[in-house]
Amino acid sequence: MLFRSLAVEVKYHEIYQNDKEPVWARKKMAEYARANGIKPTMREFACSRNTVRRWFRADDYKNKSKRPSKLVGKISAEIEQQILSCRQRELMGPTNLKYQYNIQASAATAYRVLKRNNQIKSRKRKWKQSKDLRAYKAKQKVFEVIQIDGKVLYDIPAFYPYYSKYSLPRLQFTATCEKSGTTFYSYSEGETSLAGCTFVVYLMEHLKRHGIKVKKIKTDKGSYAVHKNSLKKTAFERLLKDVYQIRHQPIVHKNQNADVERFHGLVEQYFYSITPIENKADFYKKAYQKHVWFNYIRKNGSKKWKTPLDILKADYPNIDPQVLTLPPINLDEHADIYFYKVDSNYKPLTPESFFRDVPRSEEHTSELQSH
């Protein structure tokens, strides 16, 4: 312990580690120093000369505050309140607050003020943000919000030989439901306004037949959807607003269209990279089969391992499951669909106008009914 007579030697700094204010040890150190002197006390308590002198001369053996008597850099209450009010109004960081509002304090001081008042919150990791976004999407109704995007096909190495040999389409137009992951797609030679409008009419008329109302469609800022250098509305935007009363939202960040972008990776992995193609008709046939597989069979990990059909039945128990199937078509050959919808004097359409690319054979019908 503290005294050698106990045969166990404990140094003063070891006592201080366990007791940050060992008043009893300091009193004994001072008494020992008065009786035996400074050097013997150093040896007995195993501490430095300055430590012995400090407590030998002290009247009070408690720790003293190291805070300076005069704080030169302390900011006024008015500046501190200014920092807090600006933070609540704009949610800016300390550096932005300093220069935006000419605050008479350093960025470090502004940070300490915010930290002291619990205004600094750690940012959520990306996987937590994604989890929050999934919870938000789960509150929507199926088909309430749809994401549309185009996917270039001729840059897929495994698919390129078939693309060149059979003159297959260059682009896939894709529409994905945010809540359920239900996906529809068709093809064209380019990301043209006519092809985009035809795809929207083809999809909206299909959903309309099943009593589904879409509230919002998200797209990127592709030329088919928006004019980049003009305030004029595109045919795509006019179609959504005037004909279907659907809100169009051009995305700002690419993760706002994460569902359709993720599907593009999946369809490349499960279809274009592994499926042999025999001719153009075979391409549309297998594209339709894969479309059925995605919407009826494949379970989605981000949707709690449910299929789009499972999620659809939860929202619409009495709806016809056939709403999830829509054969992919060549949009360039079906412009009649769009013109018929926007021009009242245009020739009427027949069912063959919608489904002449993929005949609904007994094989496809039996496959669909089995799921």
Side-chain angles (χ1 to χ4, degrees), residues 231-264:
L231 296 178
K232 293 183 179 179
K233 297 291 184 181
T234 62
F236 186 91
E237 293 173 304
R238 293 197 301 271
L239 176 68
L240 293 181
K241 181 179 179 181
D242 300 337
V243 178
Y244 292 108
Q245 291 76 50
I246 296 175
R247 178 190 167 196
H248 176 227
Q249 179 186 343
I251 64 171
V252 179
H253 305 289
K254 62 181 180 181
N255 61 350
Q256 292 178 291
N257 253 12
D259 296 88
V260 67
E261 294 288 359
R262 175 57 180 153
F263 178 80
H264 285 166

Side-chain angles (χ1 to χ4, degrees), residues 118-133:
N118 299 319
Q119 296 295 318
I120 298 292
K121 297 180 180 180
S122 59
R123 291 187 178 182
K124 288 186 178 180
R125 294 183 179 272
K126 218 164 189 180
W127 67 269
K128 288 187 177 181
Q129 293 179 359
S130 299
K131 200 170 183 179
D132 292 345
L133 191 57

Side-chain angles (χ1 to χ4, degrees), residues 344-362:
S344 58
N345 297 320
Y346 200 75
K347 62 182 181 181
L349 297 181
T350 62
E352 289 74 17
S353 301
F354 286 86
F355 303 114
R356 64 171 179 252
D357 295 85
V358 183
R360 300 174 70 85
S361 64
E362 295 180 0

Side-chain angles (χ1 to χ4, degrees), residues 52-103:
V52 176
R53 284 179 173 174
R54 176 182 179 184
W55 300 117
F56 174 73
R57 297 170 179 173
D59 297 326
D60 185 5
Y61 300 105
K62 293 182 180 180
N63 293 335
K64 293 184 178 180
S65 175
K66 296 180 180 180
R67 182 181 179 182
S69 57
K70 185 178 181 181
L71 298 178
V72 178
K74 182 175 174 61
I75 62 174
S76 64
E78 290 76 11
I79 296 178
E80 183 168 340
Q81 185 58 40
Q82 181 188 9
I83 294 172
L84 294 174
S85 62
C86 292
R87 168 71 173 186
Q88 293 174 359
R89 185 166 62 250
E90 298 292 346
L91 294 178
M92 290 182 175
T95 304
N96 284 339
L97 287 174
K98 171 180 171 56
Y99 292 103
Q100 183 71 30
Y101 296 102
N102 297 320
I103 294 176

Side-chain angles (χ1 to χ4, degrees), residues 147-151 171-176 184-186 191 199 217-222 224 251 254 257 260-261 264:
Q147 301 174 7
I148 293 181
D149 195 18
K151 174 177 176 60
L171 189 90
Q172 170 186 306
F173 271 98
T174 310
T176 301
F184 306 98
Y185 50 87
S186 289
E191 200 175 67
F199 180 60
I217 286 181
K218 295 180 180 180
T219 69
D220 60 11
K221 296 182 180 179
Y224 72 96
I251 64 171
K254 62 181 180 181
N257 253 12
V260 67
E261 294 288 359
H264 285 166

